[in-house]
Amino acid sequence: MADALIPKEALDWFKRKGIKPGFDYRDVWKEEQANAFTVAKMLNADLLVDVKQIVQDAIESGQTFEQFRNTLKPLLVKSGWWGVQTMQDPLTEETKLVQLGSEGRIKTIYKTNMRTARSAGQWERIQRTKRTMPYLLYQLGPSEQHRVDHAKWKNTLLPADDPWWDVHMTPNGWGCKCWIRQVSQYEADKLIASGKVSTSAPAGKNRQWVNKRTGEVEVLPQGIEPGWNYNPGKGRENMLAGDLAAKEARMRQTLSDGL
């Protein structure tokens, strides 16, 4: 079965992505992922463009994983991007034995892009409709076994603008199937009255994690895997805001130099 029909907002979000080759998944990080499509160790830009188009087609037509795999695998095999091979790490210049294309990697490409696109598209809809649907409810997905911390977050009900969603907007790790449901004030009041939801952000410890590719030290909330401690939809907003601020600063500098 298809992962789920992807809404228009999710497709539009994905279409606006550029590409960014990277050797390691940690080379293209967090908010960068919101603006650039990447596949670890796919350094050929032309191949990356072709793979992005295949993912985009899969999102647009709601393909099942099997349909997606049957399109992508022949391209990867024909391009020589398949199996275990030796590659030089551009960062360390070390030659390594690495896994390129495989059934597992194709599944990761499919699941990760489908779920982050859906999350980003949902965030855009949340921003448009939060006046009438002002709350978000954390829900568990269909996994047989849930991460302990994710299970603790089940039925957390918070306003859409609560900063907790800056980090905990799903997915929250590789293979995470958790999802968010937007609810009205009326439904929120009923849920609160039933006692089945929590209206305070779950308490949890933080830990430090070092991205050894960049040297950056990050603070990760307990239960969030490295690289997933961001909101895919808000990541795009933040990147665009940063780009706009940089452009404005350059314009001010240009005007100042001309005086």
Side-chain angles (χ1 to χ4, degrees):
M1 293 180 62
D3 206 34
L5 185 62
I6 301 293
K8 179 182 181 298
E9 295 90 346
L11 177 62
D12 290 344
W13 176 84
F14 189 84
K15 282 182 174 180
R16 293 195 296 267
K17 281 191 172 193
I19 63 163
K20 187 168 184 178
F23 181 83
D24 190 283
Y25 79 96
R26 295 166 295 182
D27 293 341
V28 184
W29 202 238
K30 290 170 60 178
E31 283 86 355
E32 282 186 303
Q33 294 268 10
N35 283 266
F37 176 77
T38 189
V39 176
K41 298 176 181 63
M42 189 173 287
L43 304 182
N44 183 318
D46 290 336
L47 179 59
L48 196 58
V49 168
D50 290 341
V51 174
K52 177 181 181 289
Q53 185 62 55
I54 290 173
V55 174
Q56 183 174 307
D57 292 343
I59 292 173
E60 188 165 16
S61 59
Q63 291 178 15
T64 64
F65 167 69
E66 289 74 19
Q67 291 171 320
F68 175 75
R69 178 194 60 204
N70 292 343
T71 301
L72 180 58
K73 183 176 179 179
L75 171 67
L76 298 182
V77 172
K78 182 180 179 180
S79 301
W81 201 85
W82 192 261
V84 177
Q85 298 185 28
T86 56
M87 287 186 70
Q88 185 180 59
D89 185 338
L91 181 65
T92 65
E93 298 185 350
E94 178 185 359
T95 299
K96 301 177 179 180
L97 198 63
V98 299
Q99 177 68 59
L100 300 182
S102 67
E103 296 285 330
R105 294 216 59 191
I106 291 176
K107 184 171 289 187
T108 297
I109 293 169
Y110 176 83
K111 295 290 186 181
T112 300
N113 285 284
M114 288 287 184
R115 288 174 183 156
T116 53
R118 181 188 299 110
S119 178
Q122 183 182 23
W123 187 254
E124 289 189 21
R125 294 197 309 278
I126 287 168
Q127 297 312 298
R128 289 201 313 269
T129 60
K130 62 185 177 183
R131 290 186 63 183
T132 55
M133 305 275 282
Y135 286 90
L136 304 181
L137 183 67
Y138 195 99
Q139 301 281 267
L140 296 178
S143 301
E144 292 183 6
Q145 290 185 322
H146 302 290
R147 294 167 172 85
V148 174
D149 292 293
H150 296 195
K152 292 178 182 177
W153 301 337
K154 179 184 177 182
N155 289 333
T156 295
L157 180 72
L158 298 171
D161 290 329
D162 192 288
W164 195 73
W165 302 116
D166 291 351
V167 176
H168 294 82
M169 186 71 182
T170 57
N172 287 312
W174 297 103
C176 173
K177 298 178 183 177
C178 297
W179 58 290
I180 302 300
R181 188 162 70 84
Q182 189 177 8
V183 301
S184 65
Q185 182 69 58
Y186 175 75
E187 184 180 359
D189 290 341
K190 289 182 65 177
L191 289 169
I192 293 169
S194 72
K196 296 179 180 179
V197 298
S198 172
T199 57
S200 58
K205 297 179 180 179
N206 292 328
R207 64 185 177 93
Q208 284 193 338
W209 179 81
V210 180
N211 184 335
K212 295 181 180 179
R213 301 288 294 182
T214 65
E216 182 182 358
V217 179
E218 296 189 31
V219 177
L220 297 178
Q222 184 174 310
I224 304 290
E225 293 181 16
W228 295 93
N229 54 324
Y230 78 111
N231 178 324
K234 202 163 188 178
R236 170 69 57 79
E237 295 174 4
N238 293 340
M239 289 289 285
L240 292 176
D243 290 344
L244 180 60
K247 289 178 182 178
E248 290 177 345
R250 289 195 296 269
M251 289 177 62
R252 287 195 295 270
Q253 185 62 48
T254 300
L255 290 171
S256 177
D257 293 343
L259 295 177

